[in-house]
Amino acid sequence: MNLVFLGPPGAGKGTIASEAKNHFGIPHISTGDLFRSHIKGDTELGKQVKAILAAGDLVPDSVTIEMVKQRFLESDAKNGFILDGFPRTIAQADALAEMKTLDAVVNFVLDREQIVKRLSGRRVCKSTGRTYHILYNPPKVEGIDDETGEPLIQRDDDKPEAILNRLSVYEQQTEPLIAYYREKGLLVDIDASPAPEKVLSALIKAVQK
Ligand code: AP5
Ligand code: MG
């Protein structure tokens, strides 16, 4: 199963992908997670993209496409994948079409008010990337990761100014991909507003049709 998860920031792509990957037995490839792990490891790429991510802008296409190309060379991606956060521009989508044939593009649909609520309440464990929400998915002990016991942090790009910028970048650069994939007959719309387990079961049903 070669899947793409498309949708606005905060729609729950990462949350659902972390369960869907077990259901389908395929890796979850999040370009945002890959960039964040470069930043954490202080690699050359990490240094190059740190300020871009903090501001909520897009990393240049050439850099992002090359990173995905390299990731596809790893053996776990041979029998399928969930791409989360890629492609985000028409140029990235064209590049992906040269690399892989897709089975479906899942479009996570959520209104702006919910998006902002989800992003502003998100907290993450820096070392594992595990994601919580102060209201919708709180940790057992406030501010502490359930597994590692480390303090939870707020992503730089979940601060109010960066949230607004990410939404406008999404509308200008990524939203056109909805029509792009609908035309190709690959788009599957999913209501992202219910609880995660409901979103997951609707998604499984929809992509297996
Ligand atoms: P990325 O990490 O991909 O960020 P994003 O698209 O903005 O998406 P998010 O991770 O913010 O949201 P999500 O949909 O995964 O939601 P989540 O599951 O966490 O990218 C970060 C940056 O990297 C970009 O801004 C850019 O700079 C760069 N980048 C990445 N890819 C790139 C590309 N292709 N090209 C160029 N640059 C690129 O959920 C959000 C919150 O809601 C959580 O708190 C969660 O607990 C909660 N939640 C989730 N589902 C539910 C639910 N069903 N009900 C209630 N709460 C829920
Ligand atoms: Mg994510």
Side-chain angles (χ1 to χ4, degrees):
M1 191 70 90
N2 292 351
L3 298 175
V4 165
F5 283 8
L6 183 69
K13 303 179 299 294
T15 299
I16 302 304
S18 64
E19 299 297 328
K21 70 172 182 185
N22 300 324
H23 178 86
F24 294 114
I26 50 179
H28 168 204
I29 302 176
S30 155
T31 41
D33 288 348
L34 291 173
F35 286 131
R36 279 184 291 277
S37 110
H38 277 281
I39 292 170
K40 202 171 121 221
D42 206 24
T43 67
E44 274 312 305
L45 177 59
K47 289 186 184 119
Q48 199 184 331
V49 303
K50 188 171 182 186
I52 299 177
L53 265 85
D57 291 323
L58 291 188
V59 174
D61 285 336
S62 58
V63 175
T64 308
I65 290 165
E66 184 54 32
M67 183 177 72
V68 171
K69 233 180 226 166
Q70 293 304 320
R71 180 62 185 83
F72 278 149
L73 296 177
E74 290 176 36
S75 58
D76 65 342
K78 295 276 182 284
N79 298 319
F81 52 81
I82 297 171
L83 267 179
D84 159 13
F86 182 92
R88 261 179 156 89
T89 63
I90 300 282
Q92 291 179 15
D94 287 339
L96 177 60
E98 303 270 305
M99 293 185 247
K100 297 281 181 185
T101 303
L102 298 176
D103 293 301
V105 175
V106 181
N107 179 32
F108 284 64
V109 179
L110 192 66
D111 66 43
R112 199 179 167 102
E113 194 188 334
Q114 282 302 317
I115 291 170
V116 174
K117 277 189 186 154
R118 286 188 185 180
L119 288 175
S120 50
R122 176 165 57 187
R123 298 292 182 272
V124 294
C125 174
K126 200 170 182 182
S127 63
T128 65
R130 197 182 160 93
T131 300
Y132 299 85
H133 190 282
I134 51 172
L135 301 176
Y136 308 139
N137 179 25
K140 293 190 182 104
V141 179
E142 193 185 328
I144 301 293
D145 183 71
D146 290 348
E147 280 167 7
T148 64
E150 291 169 45
L152 299 177
I153 58 150
Q154 185 172 36
R155 271 170 48 177
D156 285 340
D157 58 352
D158 282 344
K159 312 241 158 96
E161 211 176 308
I163 289 179
L164 293 181
N165 187 41
R166 283 157 73 201
L167 282 169
S168 95
V169 167
Y170 168 77
E171 281 160 12
Q172 285 164 28
Q173 310 230 41
T174 308
E175 219 165 37
L177 289 177
I178 294 175
Y180 175 102
Y181 283 122
R182 206 184 294 283
E183 257 168 45
K184 294 187 189 311
L186 286 169
L187 201 80
V188 177
D189 288 311
I190 286 284
D191 175 7
S193 66
E197 49 284 6
K198 291 206 170 138
V199 178
L200 177 66
S201 59
L203 182 148
I204 290 169
K205 242 188 235 162
V207 301
Q208 281 173 341
K209 264 183 200 159

